[in-house]
Amino acid sequence: MASLKQLSSKKELLTGGHRLCAGCGASIIVRQVLLAADTPVVVAASTGCLEVATSIFPYTAWRCSFIHCAFENAASTLSGVETAYRALKKKGKIDQDMRFIAFSGDGGTYDIGIQALSGACERGHRMLYVCYDNQAYMNTGIQRSSATPLGAATTTSPAGKVLPGKTQNRKDLTEIIAAHHIPYVAQASPSRWNDLVSKAQRALQAEGPSFMNVLSPCPRGWRYPPNETIKMAQLAVDTCIWPLYEVVEDKWRLTYRPKQKPPVEEWLKAQGRFAHLFKGDNQQVIEQLQAEVDRRWEELLEKTS
Amino acid sequence: MGNLISMEGNQAAAEAMRQINPDAMAAYPITPQTEVVQTFAQFVADGRVDTEFVTVESEHSAMSACVAAAASGTRVMTATSANGMALMWEILYIAASTRLPIVMALVNRALSANINIHCDHSDSMGARDTGWIQLFCENGQEAYDSLIQAVRIAEHPQVRLPVMVCYDGFIISHAVECLELLNDKEVQKFIGEFKPVNSLLDISHPYTFGPLDLYDFYFEHKRQQIEAYGPAKRVVVEIGKQFATLSGREYGLFEAYRLQDAQLAIVLMGSAAGTAKEAVDRLRANGLPIGVLKLRAFRPFPSEELTQLLSRFEAVAVLDRAVSFGAAAGPLFTEISSALFASNRRPLLVNYIYGLGGRDIDIEDIQEVGEKLKKTAESGKVEQPFDYIGVRK
């Protein structure tokens, strides 16, 4: 792992001047991941905030080659790039060592893109797929996805007179991808930049598909001030809503254990999307969420012990 | 002179792909295309091609991988049918609008529901507006020949568009024919080396594919794309002529069969053109001045050329193997009548729908079309503009 000073002197592949919102987690994550690359990379992105904000014709914020095809196919698109690379390398038309990285939101990964991602993992393309998980369809205006936590109010799971926001728990995508038994799977947070960059380095070294699920706080969708993104990510890590771990060649390892495990309320009360949970009879939703977080944390501890 | 060999249409298509030896192929099996994929997979397994073969988990991913591999500077092919291409639909537009020279064998099959694995052209017609060049074939020989030409057409600097080579499911794909194949070296020499304009893998020239393109530029990009189909028409003819010097078989935008001295014409595409030629021969023997116009290029549609050719006719029957639900007529008829409307002189036009879901069409059926066409021409008016062939009420 390079020092922060060394990393800060590296030429960044995502330039400033893109049009992501102030406080967006996605650009922070992209920059941290790309700092881990020590070869040329090609980036693929699915339709979403990152894509629309970084490649508005006739401009591009990408210093490396970049392809956006559609919403549900970042994984199959990148597998096409990686296939072309192997074809041209075999024929001696390319000799440069290169890496291939996909960035996609939770909508494009957990939901509409899961088939393409699963297929690419099974086929074994050497590529890193990074999900920047902001826990809803933020680009279309905050609709619930299967990554949205229980109780969160979104525009398609609003809090109303009879419903307390989303009524289902979130899908555990990281574990689903780990079940593909690919060389490297990790969960990371931009608040632990050192952990994230190290994981991206290991992912890029893996001789096959690798996957990183990175929590990407969204000031607009989560309803918190834009200067609190990193705080919001770290609170999720500390409350064990977003545990940090990796699965290397099927070996599970916790990469960060919170010193204290504050109640999930600490994270919930900092965000407007959960404000309704602190009113009326909704306290039970917080208890349900806490129970689910505890259960999954215990399971993870068992897997990583 | 090539080698004479008997093989099924799908094997011929796979053979063309082997000789083309693309850098990459991404495909998913679907009846009646499956044999193309599995034959090609065997070529890969036996080391007879250098192709990186991606066995994707869906047609959507097949076309997505093709788009990306083509954007990465490789020569790319795929094959599909019916529902498979319907699943690709979103990405078909992206392939064409990104100007990527992908070549696809489309083994024509009916779309669901109800599910039916046999031939009609509803899959091609559903994709007619996606921006792909669409070439229709009468038999396995044409499928083989057209796939080889398609590489040149797609990659031509003035075209840079994907091409689908359409041939009828089962009727062509599973029928054994005697074909004349070129040898591998001839094919390689004819197609030459692929020289991409931009490539994701050219690290000294980073390139952004698929940007957000709003009201300030999107329209100009669409105009550029629209204007590419003019050159595409010329290139289809030019490559067809070049292919003739190699093979003795010439191809163009369409084939005019016994039309020169005809007053009546039957217009259609695909394998039924062979049936129509036989029907026309029989009608001619009875003194009917009739011929066949077999359309090869549905996209780019040769409007001016067809207007020039057909406007002098007394009556023309257009046979559609697909429907546009809710429209007044089949898609081929709509194109032909719209092209002819620009002419001062127009033939009487009638439209027939035939062969949906693999329903056979016989020589006698088409003879009957010819006889009726004669009566239409004699009476000088169209009694029934729209009818079916071979369907129960």
Side-chain angles (χ1 to χ4, degrees), chain A residues 60 66 72 86 90-91, chain B residues 23 50 52 90 208-209 212:
Chain A
T60 181
F66 171 89
E72 66 285 61
R86 276 186 288 114
K90 187 166 73 181
K91 290 179 178 171
Chain B
D23 298 307
D50 304 315
E52 289 296 329
E90 177 194 24
T208 290
F209 278 89
L212 180 67

Side-chain angles (χ1 to χ4, degrees), chain A residues 55 57-58 60 63 65-70 72-73 76-77 80-81 83-84 86 90-91 93 98 115-116 123, chain B residues 23 50 52 54 56-58 60-61 64 68 72 90-91 94 193 200 203 206-212 217 221:
Chain A
S55 64
F57 191 90
T60 181
R63 286 201 180 105
S65 274
F66 171 89
I67 182 167
H68 157 252
C69 183
E72 66 285 61
N73 63 355
S76 45
T77 298
V81 179
T83 298
R86 276 186 288 114
K90 187 166 73 181
K91 290 179 178 171
K93 291 182 179 175
M98 294 174 78
Q115 175 185 316
R123 291 192 299 273
Chain B
D23 298 307
D50 304 315
E52 289 296 329
V54 195
V56 279
E57 83 299 329
S58 72
H60 193 282
S61 284
S64 303
S72 303
E90 177 194 24
I91 314 300
I94 294 170
E193 190 155 338
L200 285 166
I203 51 167
Y207 198 86
T208 290
F209 278 89
L212 180 67
F217 285 101
H221 290 147

